[in-house]
């Protein structure tokens, strides 16, 4: 997600539901539902306590105070804060980096991380083994090793 300016209510739900969120230094965040007599939606009640803990999530929703970009970064509501003038270029670089990655390994990594909280260590290690084996059997792994040996960027399919 790319966040510039106000990010409140459903916008906050979208931003915290994204895998990666980059905000401009002038952005601010608020749950905002309190001010209109509603409860959170868009997954906010799911993502927020997982990101900041239940106690802080209660504070953010019940008090609905504005959070500046630097505080949002400290709370892990966003991954990165950059100067407003650098926001578009930064997000373009992040997107290009992701687009150049091996899709199978990125999907596997996301799946492993997002399901890990519901697994025991043993279950997670088994899931890692299965995902690692699946990726190692793909052409992208061969290309990644070749590129590493040849000291060049990999060109994944």
């Amino acid at each position: 997600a790319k966040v510039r300016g106000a990010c409140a209510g459903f916008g906050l739900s979208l931003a915290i539901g994204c895998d990666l969120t980059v905000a401009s230094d002038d952005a601010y965040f608020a749950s905002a539902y309190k001010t209109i007599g509603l409860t959170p939606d868009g997954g906010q009640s799911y993502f927020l306590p997982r990101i900041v803990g239940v106690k802080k999530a209660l504070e953010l929703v019940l008090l609905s105070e504005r959070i500046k970009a630097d505080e949002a970064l400290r709370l892990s509501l966003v991954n990165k804060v950059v100067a407003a003038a650098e926001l578009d270029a930064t997000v373009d670089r992040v997107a290009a980096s992701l687009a150049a990655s091996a899709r199978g390994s990125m999907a596997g990594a996301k799946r492993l991380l997002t399901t890990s909280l519901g697994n025991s260590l043993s279950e997670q290690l088994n899931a890692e083994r299965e995902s690692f084996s699946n990726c190692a059997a793909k052409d992208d792994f061969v290309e990644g090793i070749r590129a590493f040996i040849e000291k060049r960027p990999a060109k994944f399919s």
Side-chain angles (χ1 to χ4, degrees):
K2 175 173 34 174
V3 178
R4 182 186 326 270
C7 183
F10 191 74
L12 176 61
S13 300
L14 291 175
I16 64 176
C18 289
D19 294 337
L20 300 171
T21 303
V22 180
S24 62
D25 55 3
D26 61 352
Y28 66 89
F29 302 79
S31 177
Y33 293 100
K34 168 188 172 185
T35 61
I36 58 173
L38 289 175
T39 58
D41 69 343
Q44 191 173 118
S45 66
Y46 177 85
F47 292 113
L48 199 55
R50 283 167 171 77
I51 295 169
V52 301
V54 173
K55 189 89 167 169
K56 190 65 176 181
L58 284 165
E59 176 188 337
L60 294 172
V61 171
L62 297 179
L63 298 180
S64 215
E65 297 170 337
R66 284 186 180 184
I67 304 294
K68 292 181 179 180
D70 59 340
E71 179 67 1
L73 178 63
R74 191 185 71 71
L75 291 172
S76 298
L77 298 177
V78 301
N79 301 91
K80 190 178 288 202
V81 174
V82 299
E86 298 171 20
L87 184 61
D88 291 335
T90 300
V91 171
D92 288 348
R93 279 192 301 277
V94 169
S97 172
L98 292 172
S101 300
R103 281 175 267 173
S105 69
M106 293 293 97
K110 180 178 174 178
R111 184 176 47 258
L112 286 168
L113 294 169
T114 58
T115 61
S116 67
L117 294 177
N119 288 341
S120 67
L121 176 58
S122 178
E123 291 168 329
Q124 191 64 20
L125 291 172
N126 285 332
E128 286 181 357
R129 178 181 38 81
E130 184 178 328
S131 183
F132 188 95
S133 296
N134 287 340
C135 287
K138 301 225 181 322
D139 291 340
D140 281 341
F141 174 65
V142 174
E143 166 57 15
I145 294 297
R146 254 192 212 122
F148 176 77
I149 291 169
E150 296 170 5
K151 298 181 184 346
R152 62 171 174 80
K155 294 179 183 136
F156 297 113
S157 55

